[in-house]
Amino acid sequence: MNLDLTEEQKLIQDTAREFAAAELAPVAAGLDRGENEETFFSNLKKLAELGFMGLNIRDEYGGAEAGAIAFSLAVTEIARACASTAVTVSVNNMVNEVIQALGTEEQKRRYIPMICSGESLAGAFGLTETGAGSDPAGMKTTAVLDGDQWVLNGSKIFISSAPYAGVFVVWAVTNQKAPKGKGISLFLVEAGSKGLVIGKREAKMGQHASSTNELLFEDCRIPKSALMGKMNDGFRVAVAELGGGRIGIGSLGLGVGLAAMDFAARYALERVQFGKRISEFQAIQWKIADMYTALEAARLLLMNAAFRKEQGRPFAKEASMAKVFATETANRACYEAMQILGGYGYTQDFPIERYTRDARITTIYEGTSEIQRMIISREILRELS
């Protein structure tokens, strides 16, 4: 068993850390306040040029071929500075991976390089609907073949990067008579397609720089060739591919949790109460010890899931374990960090309140903690039966 990173993985981690410190950290608070949106876009472009939008993508399509471990490391380092940027990087990588796994050669060569290079700032997933969140098989958006075109009708919600995405990976019902979850197919919908409407931007608690919008399909016509993968096989694809996204969001949570605790630990070394630095008090020391231990456990869970994915081994259970533990740990880390700072942690003069808001969503998107526990228990019981 060798837990050391390869030279390439170390280089990617170091590059991500240095970029985050130099480019992302100085502007993160302003982006959270809705300032300098162009800086957010500029940083996405720079990250694409550094190869961070296709870390697990083959070189022939413009990717870095660095693997799932490198992807996890990069997202963690980026999230330590800016969670909004990190979630965009995570989603872009997963969009590219889905296209690489299921797309035709023409689809791969058209869309993957576009995202990897930064020509398109983002890709986006269109899965969640008002009545189909944790239960995506209950979606109502339909796709009907009309001659040489598919006609999409319906809506999607909570779509990250929607206004600046160049392509959307969209799930829709293609056989309304099939049993629930059996008649769903997968499509690639280009931005600007007739009948595709970008709806309202959600006013969110955190991750403000990352836009989250509704998608509307009003007789949206796309080519027959926009179908990706096998007809009526889209739900199985959704279930399978979300595992990789859970590694990404778990890594994001880890990054935010580490940022919160790093700030709180440094603060404890400087803050004086009762004539002592508060880092000398056992109550503070135990918070620091407990949270760094939990964050290290989260890191190891993420590395295990990413390693299994790289090896082509089943990793759904491991990804869910990593995701639920890392994201819930991130929320606890932010809570404890705020407790260490006291009243200052609750103010916008310090980054802890932003970290706390940014971390909260991580236990919800890419599958709630409750859904992760269902997956974990299902897999364990299946293995024991």
Side-chain angles (χ1 to χ4, degrees):
M1 181 181 291
N2 181 3
L3 298 178
D4 290 336
L5 301 179
T6 66
E7 288 303 315
E8 181 183 30
Q9 290 164 352
K10 290 177 184 175
L11 176 61
I12 288 169
Q13 184 183 48
D14 290 344
T15 302
R17 181 182 295 128
E18 290 165 7
F19 182 89
E23 303 288 345
L24 302 179
V27 300
L31 292 175
D32 180 66
R33 294 190 295 268
E35 302 167 3
N36 304 321
E37 187 175 55
E38 288 305 316
T39 302
F40 177 68
F41 296 149
S42 173
N43 283 334
L44 292 179
K45 180 75 172 177
K46 291 175 183 177
L47 284 164
E49 292 169 354
L50 288 169
F52 285 101
M53 299 305 184
L55 287 164
N56 203 23
I57 299 299
R58 294 196 293 273
D59 175 72
E60 62 184 300
Y61 303 123
E65 292 193 38
I69 291 173
F71 163 67
S72 176
L73 296 169
V75 172
T76 296
E77 294 302 329
I78 292 167
R80 291 174 87 146
C82 179
S84 293
T85 303
V87 73
T88 309
V89 171
S90 180
V91 171
N92 281 3
N93 274 273
M94 296 316 303
V95 167
N96 276 333
E97 286 196 33
V98 170
I99 298 173
Q100 178 174 258
L102 299 167
T104 64
E105 191 62 26
E106 181 181 354
Q107 289 170 337
K108 294 174 188 177
R109 295 194 179 279
R110 178 176 178 81
Y111 297 112
I112 297 177
M114 185 170 72
I115 299 172
C116 284
S117 67
E119 175 189 343
S120 172
L121 292 174
F125 284 117
L127 179 62
T128 303
E129 298 183 5
T130 302
S134 292
D135 180 20
M139 70 178 63
K140 301 298 183 184
T141 296
T142 60
V144 177
L145 190 60
D146 181 20
D148 61 353
Q149 293 182 319
W150 289 98
V151 182
L152 274 63
N153 280 286
S155 63
K156 303 288 182 178
I157 58 170
F158 304 145
I159 309 304
S160 298
S161 306
Y164 38 89
V167 63
F168 298 83
V169 177
V170 177
W171 283 261
V173 177
T174 45
N175 183 355
Q176 297 184 56
K177 296 181 180 179
K180 183 180 178 181
K182 298 295 184 181
I184 295 170
S185 299
L186 189 57
F187 299 90
L188 287 168
V189 182
E190 290 190 14
S193 295
K194 184 178 180 181
L196 171 63
V197 178
I198 309 299
K200 72 180 181 71
R201 179 169 180 163
E202 301 292 345
K204 301 180 298 184
M205 176 180 176
Q207 298 190 17
H208 290 155
S210 168
S211 187
T212 302
N213 296 68
E214 182 180 20
L215 284 184
L216 304 171
F217 300 96
E218 300 172 349
D219 288 330
C220 176
R221 290 184 171 270
I222 56 177
K224 187 177 180 180
S225 60
L227 176 70
M228 187 165 63
K230 295 180 181 179
M231 183 81 161
N232 297 326
D233 195 37
F235 180 67
R236 181 193 63 81
V237 171
V239 171
E241 294 301 329
L242 282 173
R246 286 164 185 155
I247 294 173
I249 298 307
S251 303
L252 188 158
L254 173 61
V256 175
L258 285 168
M261 286 308 303
D262 286 350
F263 190 93
R266 293 190 184 101
Y267 177 89
L269 288 168
E270 299 177 359
R271 175 70 167 167
V272 174
Q273 290 287 275
F274 305 103
K276 294 182 179 180
R277 293 180 301 173
I278 64 172
S279 60
E280 297 178 49
F281 295 114
Q282 189 179 71
I284 302 301
Q285 293 170 353
W286 282 16
K287 290 181 186 298
I288 292 170
D290 287 347
M291 289 320 309
Y292 275 103
T293 299
L295 289 165
E296 177 63 7
R299 185 188 72 83
L300 292 170
L301 282 168
L302 287 161
M303 290 295 97
N304 180 51
F307 175 77
R308 291 180 67 91
K309 181 182 177 183
E310 279 193 11
Q311 297 300 308
R313 296 158 63 184
F315 69 98
K317 177 184 70 178
E318 290 76 13
S320 287
M321 286 177 167
K323 200 266 185 184
V324 70
F325 188 82
T327 58
E328 292 191 354
T329 298
N331 277 272
R332 291 198 304 275
C334 290
Y335 176 91
E336 294 291 12
M338 187 175 291
Q339 201 69 15
I340 290 170
L341 265 72
Y344 287 120
Y346 198 65
T347 71
Q348 294 182 0
D349 292 331
F350 293 84
I352 299 301
E353 69 87 29
R354 170 165 55 88
Y355 296 150
T356 303
R357 290 185 287 103
D358 285 345
R360 186 62 190 88
I361 187 61
T362 61
T363 62
I364 298 173
Y365 60 12
E366 290 288 350
T368 65
S369 291
E370 291 74 19
I371 291 295
Q372 304 314 313
R373 289 185 168 92
M374 288 173 60
I375 294 169
I376 294 163
S377 62
R378 181 191 67 201
E379 291 298 309
I380 291 171
L381 293 171
R382 182 182 61 79
E383 291 167 4
L384 293 174
S385 63

